[in-house]
Amino acid sequence: MNYEVIIIGGSYSGLSAAMALGRASRNVLIIDSGEPCNKQTPHSHNFITQDGEKPAVISSKAKEQVMRYPTVSFENDKAVKAVKTDKGFEITTESGAAYTAKKLLLATGVKDIMPAIHGFAECWGISIIHCPYCHGYEVKNQKTALMASGDIALHMIPMLLQWTKDLTLFTNGEAIFTNEQLAKFKQHNVAVIETEIESVQHTNGKLNSITLKNGDIHDFSVMYAKIKTVQHTFIPEDLGCIINDQGLIEVDEFKKTNIPSVFASGDCTTQGRAVAMAVEAGTKAGVMINMELCIEAY
């Protein structure tokens, strides 16, 4: 089937784009496999009108509202291939279905790569968290661990000290900081532990303690961590989209990639991983795609 716009990814950013396009009466297809990166996170915060709501509830309500627009369709499938054609793009899914469109929006998010630490994955998004703006208020003033090193640690520490004054840095290997930086840590009572982490102990994803490879055990109920991510799909790379040094799709202020008629929004384009930011980016992408279609038809 042929559409004006195909959106790959039906979470917050993709659905927001679809709403903007649906309200412009654009013929839109959303393709989504139902595997959001925050599926394990119990609550979402820092998003007005939805603060404290379950992520799945937000996305379910969003989908229900978007699907009220009769020109928007949804396929529960996984896009596995995208090919540029003379008239736009052809998208093939895991089930073997094929769809074409003039414009393509990549709202595919990213995949978190779990470190080789026993118990880490079970705690991810629950008590091992990535963002103080999303989750920090609920764990403020608690004894807090941070697993990070290098520039990421230097970025996170001053920020986390707004939420807690009891902060310990686990570099999970050799720490490479200047004497001046170490002195600043000491000034703020931030201990630095370089021994690699062996495992984390938890109860249903709620952190109890951190065990190091030398056998030392440290009691913590919350840990921030910055872990590696990769694109959920090879489609951006296959299309020739520029992927930056952080592994993210490079876009301009209008959510355009370097490939004409290919747009991208949400977590696949930014390290600012928050529901509110994904919604804003998706809305902007939808508006920009519609504007481009309007200009082309004028």
Side-chain angles (χ1 to χ4, degrees):
M1 293 183 65
N2 186 50
Y3 295 87
E4 289 180 288
V5 184
I6 288 177
I7 299 172
I8 302 178
S11 192
Y12 313 108
S13 197
L15 288 170
S16 296
M19 178 170 281
L21 290 161
R23 290 182 60 79
S25 298
R26 293 295 182 185
N27 192 19
V28 179
L29 173 65
I30 307 166
I31 303 173
D32 184 77
S33 60
E35 289 294 325
C37 65
N38 66 353
K39 61 183 178 181
Q40 196 165 275
T41 303
H43 300 99
S44 177
H45 293 281
N46 208 27
F47 182 18
I48 56 173
T49 76
Q50 300 296 326
D51 189 49
E53 187 57 273
K54 295 179 180 178
V57 171
I58 298 174
S59 59
S60 177
K61 184 177 181 179
K63 182 181 176 183
E64 178 186 347
Q65 292 179 347
V66 169
M67 297 311 297
R68 292 174 188 168
Y69 293 92
T71 60
V72 179
S73 301
F74 192 103
E75 287 293 335
N76 185 15
D77 206 342
K78 183 177 181 180
V80 295
K81 185 178 180 181
V83 177
K84 185 79 171 71
T85 67
D86 292 340
K87 296 182 179 180
F89 304 91
E90 182 175 275
I91 308 300
T92 305
T93 68
E94 195 170 56
S95 69
Y99 308 95
T100 59
K102 296 177 182 178
K103 306 291 178 184
L104 180 63
L105 172 63
L106 304 171
T108 46
V110 290
K111 181 180 179 181
D112 295 309
I113 304 302
M114 297 296 152
I117 297 172
H118 183 72
F120 187 101
E122 291 82 354
C123 296
W124 183 239
I126 301 172
S127 57
I128 300 180
I129 52 183
H130 78 290
C131 172
Y133 294 101
C134 297
H135 309 291
Y137 187 85
E138 285 65 41
V139 295
K140 68 177 183 177
N141 299 325
Q142 293 185 27
K143 182 182 177 184
T144 301
L146 167 63
M147 190 182 82
S149 191
D151 291 342
I152 295 176
L154 294 173
H155 169 74
M156 291 292 293
I157 287 172
M159 180 167 54
L160 293 181
L161 288 172
Q162 174 61 22
W163 278 268
T164 181
K165 304 303 181 186
D166 191 349
L167 182 63
T168 299
L169 174 64
F170 290 83
T171 59
N172 201 32
E174 183 182 2
I176 303 175
F177 299 108
T178 66
N179 290 333
E180 182 181 0
Q181 290 164 347
L182 291 170
K184 198 71 171 178
F185 295 164
K186 187 175 181 179
Q187 178 185 336
H188 290 281
N189 298 314
V190 177
V192 179
I193 296 175
E194 299 181 69
T195 307
E196 292 184 27
I197 298 173
E198 175 73 30
S199 62
V200 296
Q201 289 66 53
H202 65 94
T203 304
N204 297 322
K206 293 184 178 180
L207 185 65
N208 297 317
S209 60
I210 298 169
T211 299
L212 305 181
K213 288 190 175 180
N214 64 4
D216 289 351
I217 298 175
H218 298 266
D219 293 333
F220 285 94
S221 59
V222 60
M223 178 165 72
Y224 289 89
K226 289 295 183 180
I227 62 177
K228 293 181 179 180
T229 62
V230 294
Q231 293 289 323
H232 256 305
T233 171
F234 289 109
I235 286 176
E237 189 175 343
D238 291 343
L239 288 170
C241 296
I242 294 175
I243 308 296
N244 64 23
D245 293 341
Q246 288 77 46
L248 302 169
I249 303 171
E250 191 170 290
V251 294
D252 66 12
E253 60 179 315
F254 303 115
K255 308 305 176 186
K256 294 182 180 182
T257 71
N258 61 301
I259 304 301
S261 297
V262 179
F263 295 71
S265 66
D267 290 357
C268 62
T269 68
T270 177
Q271 294 189 50
R273 297 175 63 182
V275 174
M277 292 179 181
V279 168
E280 184 275 336
T283 300
K284 190 168 189 178
V287 169
M288 292 301 119
I289 292 170
N290 180 65
M291 192 68 236
E292 191 164 280
L293 287 166
C294 289
I295 291 171
E296 290 173 358
Y298 183 64

